[in-house]
Amino acid sequence: MTHHILKATKDTVHLGGFSHALTPVLTVDSGDTIEVETYSGYYVYDKAPPEFMTPEFLDICQNLPPERKIAGGPHLLTGPIYVRDAKPGDVLEVELNAIAPSLPVGFNAIRTGWGALPQKFNQPALRFISLDLENNIAEFPQGTGIKIPLKPFFGILGVATPETSRNSIPPGAYGGNIDNRELQPGSRIFLPIFVPGALFSIGDGHAAQGDGEVNVTAIETSMNGTIKLKVRQGWNLTTPIAETPTDIITMGFGETLDAALELALKNMIEFLEGFADLSPEDAYVLCSLAVNFRITQVVNSPQKGVHGMLPKSIFSQNISL
């Protein structure tokens, strides 16, 4: 196994979406680890305070090559990373070993026409929020004594599909803009692979976010992390699934919360059938008794997200993906 360092530069990031036609910026073997750097805020950099900017980020914002601008999404992603021997039909395991903000500031933005209440909050608004990285908190609003614990994670973890221009906003079977705050260090997410090499990209750092992400953004900030990429074979996975130290997480994405919940539930039943050897009916009942279904996000149009959390502690034997 090899350890790699992937810095974010104008030559190693891409903006707005995913494409199998993008040239990989790093090639790794299954099992390799990567220290990865990501930046957020491409569309607000000209309004940002000095502590939000680095010379490298400014260079990205001002000199990003046209061929690395893929679609109309707002996300700046590091990658893609090519994983040798990864083939369509395989599964990419992404192990999240470390995640930390790289800057002492993030931002939150209300966008006109977006969010859970677009009619009520219809004026754009941009706020930069200081991050106390020593104490791992953010005070918001400033001066009120309301202190939000920082729980940093990557909002986007995704692979390429046969599409040449896929917008980065909606999540799906490829992962992408999942915005699941449970994906902390020590967790793993499993993504179906659609193209040779998987072409994995990462970004959209969130220092803190509530379930739902209701106003369309979290505390968005630049984020560094250490990940391990591993190819898993012989697993017929069609939708992302994740594991934390305490839970198995199934996911559902749909145009409505009802549709997203239904898919997350079906995926959990399928997991319990395969990994716990339960009948479909027993799995359905267990979901009603012990699985917590939560709103992941309601703002990544046209796909809302729901995730189901199955506590591993209820099993007498170790259950793991």
Side-chain angles (χ1 to χ4, degrees):
M1 293 183 292
T2 303
H3 183 71
H4 307 265
I5 296 175
L6 180 56
K7 292 290 188 180
T9 72
K10 67 178 185 298
D11 298 313
T12 63
V13 302
H14 54 101
L15 176 69
F18 293 78
S19 172
H20 76 277
L22 271 174
T23 302
V25 301
L26 179 67
T27 297
V28 303
D29 290 314
S30 176
D32 285 359
T33 58
I34 306 134
E35 285 183 53
V36 63
E37 180 179 56
T38 71
Y39 283 114
S40 292
Y42 181 89
Y43 286 108
V44 302
Y45 85 93
D46 56 339
K47 305 175 184 67
E51 60 268 29
F52 190 77
M53 303 303 297
T54 68
E56 295 81 7
F57 185 34
L58 184 62
D59 187 39
I60 290 170
C61 294
Q62 295 181 341
N63 300 303
L64 186 66
E67 63 270 19
R68 301 201 66 85
K69 299 178 182 179
I70 303 304
H75 304 105
L76 197 62
L77 305 176
T78 302
I81 300 169
Y82 185 98
V83 185
R84 291 189 184 95
D85 299 324
K87 304 181 298 296
D90 293 340
V91 171
L92 183 67
E93 174 184 331
V94 184
E95 182 178 303
L96 302 166
N97 294 326
I99 306 172
S102 59
L103 303 173
V105 64
F107 71 92
N108 178 272
I110 299 173
R111 298 175 63 191
T112 300
W114 290 76
L117 298 173
Q119 287 76 36
K120 182 174 178 62
F121 299 96
N122 55 17
Q123 296 301 311
L126 175 64
R127 292 172 170 83
F128 285 90
I129 300 170
S130 296
L131 307 178
D132 183 344
L133 300 182
E134 182 177 351
N135 295 303
N136 208 39
I137 58 171
E139 184 179 7
F140 181 81
Q142 188 72 32
T144 62
I146 300 173
K147 295 179 180 179
I148 304 168
L150 301 186
K151 195 176 180 183
F153 67 98
F154 291 106
I156 295 184
L157 303 145
V159 296
T161 64
E163 298 169 83
T164 57
S165 182
R166 174 163 55 78
N167 193 292
S168 63
I169 293 176
Y174 37 80
N177 195 20
I178 296 171
D179 285 339
N180 190 321
R181 69 188 185 100
E182 302 296 337
L183 298 179
Q184 298 289 308
S187 63
R188 297 178 295 159
I189 184 169
F190 302 82
L191 304 170
I193 294 173
F194 298 91
V195 299
L199 297 180
F200 173 78
S201 295
I202 184 171
D204 190 29
H206 292 180
Q209 178 201 294
D211 285 336
E213 198 187 21
V214 295
N215 89 328
V216 84
T217 51
I219 301 180
E220 314 279 332
T221 194
S222 299
M223 197 76 68
N224 293 341
T226 301
I227 62 174
K228 178 189 284 188
L229 299 181
K230 182 178 179 180
V231 177
R232 301 276 293 262
Q233 298 175 331
W235 185 1
N236 184 26
L237 186 69
T238 58
T239 309
I241 190 170
E243 180 177 4
T244 74
T246 58
D247 294 86
I248 301 294
I249 303 177
T250 60
M251 305 177 195
F253 309 109
E255 293 187 4
T256 67
L257 284 175
D258 285 347
L261 170 62
E262 183 176 321
L263 185 55
L265 173 58
K266 287 179 177 178
N267 289 335
M268 184 62 77
I269 291 171
E270 183 177 319
F271 169 80
L272 289 167
E273 288 181 72
F275 282 79
D277 199 27
L278 297 185
S279 70
E281 185 175 288
D282 282 347
Y284 184 41
V285 173
L286 184 61
C287 286
S288 193
L289 301 182
V291 177
N292 299 303
F293 289 92
R294 299 175 179 173
I295 298 172
T296 320
Q297 55 75 26
V298 296
V299 294
N300 294 331
S301 181
Q303 296 282 66
K304 303 180 189 300
V306 169
H307 59 279
M309 300 190 65
L310 171 69
K312 295 192 289 187
S313 61
I314 67 175
F315 295 92
S316 59
Q317 296 180 335
N318 178 53
I319 184 168
S320 183
L321 297 172

